Amino acid sequence: MELVDIEYRREAKGWVLRLYIDKEGGVTLDDCTHISLEVGRNLDVADFILTPYTLEVSSPGLTRPLKSEKDFFKYRNYLIKVKTFESIGNQKQFKGRLIGISEKKIEMEMEGGVVQIPFTNVAKANFGN
């Protein structure tokens, strides 16, 4: 089981601690239930979150975030979307096929050629359409 992402945010129903998990072959409802019970128990014992919150555990879905170099290696040759902190050629949003990683940069094939984006400039990256 892999922890993909964590969100802790205020929503209409109050504070939500949301964990996104994944595993080879996909996540089942039983996986989410098991992780929710285990994490919930540990959080209750540690008792370091002072405000009332709701714990949610789910899969990252079709727009899985790509956060680590390992994620980018795993999803080579797939369609991804990337938002950058700073413009590259007057552009901050990119959509294309992930070719790979070289020298701390991701390489994407897009209409009009290949773009290289330094990891330090990646604000957000997602797998999927």
Side-chain angles (χ1 to χ4, degrees):
M1 196 68 63
E2 173 189 2
L3 178 62
V4 174
D5 203 5
I6 299 174
E7 293 177 347
Y8 183 64
R9 54 194 268 180
R10 183 148 181 84
E11 295 184 353
K13 60 184 175 181
W15 285 93
V16 176
L17 175 60
R18 191 170 289 120
L19 308 179
Y20 294 98
I21 59 173
D22 202 4
K23 71 175 184 181
E24 199 66 39
V27 174
T28 66
L29 183 56
D30 286 341
D31 294 329
C32 292
T33 301
H34 174 74
I35 295 297
S36 179
L37 291 172
E38 288 295 317
V39 170
R41 247 186 303 236
N42 286 314
L43 288 172
D44 288 345
V45 169
D47 198 27
F48 64 89
I49 301 176
L50 303 177
T51 57
Y53 65 94
T54 301
L55 175 63
E56 294 181 2
V57 178
S58 68
S59 75
L62 296 176
T63 57
R64 181 194 204 284
L66 305 175
K67 299 221 170 224
S68 67
E69 285 187 35
K70 183 182 94 171
D71 292 337
F72 287 97
F73 279 116
K74 183 176 179 179
Y75 290 102
R76 277 182 302 195
N77 295 317
Y78 284 90
L79 186 65
I80 66 168
K81 290 181 184 178
V82 176
K83 292 181 184 177
T84 59
F85 292 113
E86 297 178 11
S87 296
I88 298 174
N90 294 325
Q91 190 173 343
K92 284 186 151 187
Q93 295 188 29
F94 302 87
K95 182 178 179 179
R97 188 174 60 86
L98 176 62
I99 297 171
I101 299 173
S102 65
E103 301 175 22
K104 301 290 182 190
K105 296 178 183 178
I106 61 171
E107 296 178 338
M108 294 174 61
E109 182 178 56
M110 301 175 45
E111 288 184 28
V114 173
V115 65
Q116 293 186 343
I117 304 171
F119 274 119
T120 55
N121 195 14
V122 175
K124 184 177 182 181
N126 293 80
F127 165 76
N129 31 335

